[in-house]
Amino acid sequence: MSKILIVEDELPISDLINLNLRMINYETKQVYDGNEALEIIEKENFDLIILDVMLPKLDGFSVMEKIKNKGIPVIFLTAKDSILDKVKGLKSGADDYMVKPFESIELLARVEVVLRRYGKKSGILRFKDLEINLNERVVKKNGEIIDVTLKEYELLILLIENKGMALSREKILEKVWGYDYLGETRTVDMHVQRLRKKFKLEENITTVYKVGYRLKD
């Protein structure tokens, strides 16, 4: 399980990030200023740091300067949206720079990409009796390989990685079929029905009225 440090002084935002990361089984710690960040980084090991820039006591750029030799991946998450700030953040050694306001699903995707780049993600996703080997692109149920189409595979991963979150049909289309897809949202409904039947997830993939779908335990 990857361990992520959230350095964010706005409590509602910090709690929202924490909730979303924990829902997909990341271990997390939260701190609320730059000095607290440095202290906990000295004491504990982290696989990734989500770092605000405008922090009390010591700003995020200064924190980055002090930890850049530790080799911990960092994603800046900040309201500072100028090109100069983005360039400064990336040149400081951060792996990504994301501007607030943000969508949780995008932050989770960026976290996954950075962890995978550093080899800190196991490459195995699990949900109940399902196991997905992301490197081999193999889906197993109770240890038995189940054949899936590419879109069924990508949809299953999207639902598991966003477990507990309501995903709109439009968002699912965008993430699985891409921005250029010209089909209808009924495509999503058909694929969800197939996943429910194929993996016996009728009680786990719930319909969110007038929105889309949610995967739940």
Side-chain angles (χ1 to χ4, degrees):
M1 181 187 296
S2 298
K3 184 176 177 181
I4 299 176
L5 176 64
I6 304 163
V7 189
E8 168 62 65
D9 64 317
E10 294 183 62
L11 188 58
I13 295 176
S14 178
D15 287 345
L16 174 64
I17 297 169
N18 185 54
L19 176 65
N20 281 296
L21 290 172
R22 285 186 171 269
M23 277 199 301
I24 52 176
N25 299 321
Y26 287 116
E27 182 182 353
T28 57
K29 285 288 181 72
Q30 293 169 267
V31 295
Y32 307 97
D33 67 55
N35 286 342
E36 280 187 311
L38 292 180
E39 289 174 10
I40 197 168
I41 290 167
E42 286 299 321
K43 295 175 183 173
E44 300 185 29
N45 294 320
F46 293 97
D47 296 303
L48 175 72
I49 300 171
I50 296 174
L51 181 60
D52 190 9
V53 172
M54 293 183 287
L55 292 167
K57 299 182 181 177
L58 190 67
D59 67 74
F61 289 144
S62 299
V63 172
M64 184 72 216
E65 178 64 26
K66 293 179 180 295
I67 66 170
K68 63 182 181 183
N69 294 326
K70 293 184 176 295
I72 308 171
V74 172
I75 297 177
F76 275 122
L77 181 62
T78 173
K80 293 176 76 69
D81 60 355
S82 75
I83 294 296
L84 288 177
D85 283 323
K86 293 178 183 176
V87 170
K88 181 178 180 180
L90 293 171
K91 280 191 170 182
S92 71
D95 295 83
D96 204 348
Y97 191 105
M98 194 168 174
V99 176
K100 301 173 187 173
F102 63 95
E103 287 199 40
S104 296
I105 190 172
E106 182 180 357
L107 176 61
L108 295 177
R110 294 190 185 211
V111 165
E112 182 188 343
V113 167
V114 173
L115 288 173
R116 190 172 295 154
R117 187 186 305 152
Y118 278 77
K120 294 178 180 290
K121 196 170 178 65
S122 68
I124 302 291
L125 277 183
R126 290 188 175 85
F127 177 76
K128 293 188 173 293
D129 58 359
L130 299 182
E131 179 183 291
I132 303 175
N133 188 314
L134 299 172
N135 299 318
E136 298 177 2
R137 197 187 165 282
V138 169
V139 182
K140 294 181 180 178
K141 181 176 175 61
N142 286 323
E144 181 181 346
I145 294 177
I146 305 294
D147 291 330
V148 291
T149 67
L150 176 60
K151 294 308 178 189
E152 288 171 353
Y153 175 79
E154 293 179 348
L155 177 56
L156 184 60
I157 291 174
L158 181 69
L159 289 168
I160 293 175
E161 289 186 335
N162 295 278
K163 187 180 70 176
M165 297 176 63
L167 298 174
S168 69
R169 290 178 174 81
E170 291 76 16
K171 178 62 70 177
I172 293 172
L173 273 179
E174 176 188 318
K175 293 295 180 182
V176 176
W177 279 264
Y179 291 101
D180 299 330
Y181 182 72
L182 299 177
E184 301 177 351
T185 54
R186 178 168 167 70
T187 299
V188 174
D189 299 334
M190 293 171 58
H191 280 73
V192 166
Q193 293 305 321
R194 288 176 192 164
L195 288 186
R196 282 171 168 162
K197 184 176 181 181
K198 186 173 288 188
F199 295 104
K200 301 187 186 308
L201 294 173
E202 289 87 350
E203 295 183 359
N204 300 104
I205 304 178
T206 58
T207 301
V208 182
Y209 183 60
K210 291 187 176 180
V211 178
Y213 298 97
R214 174 191 289 117
L215 181 68
K216 65 175 188 177
D217 288 322

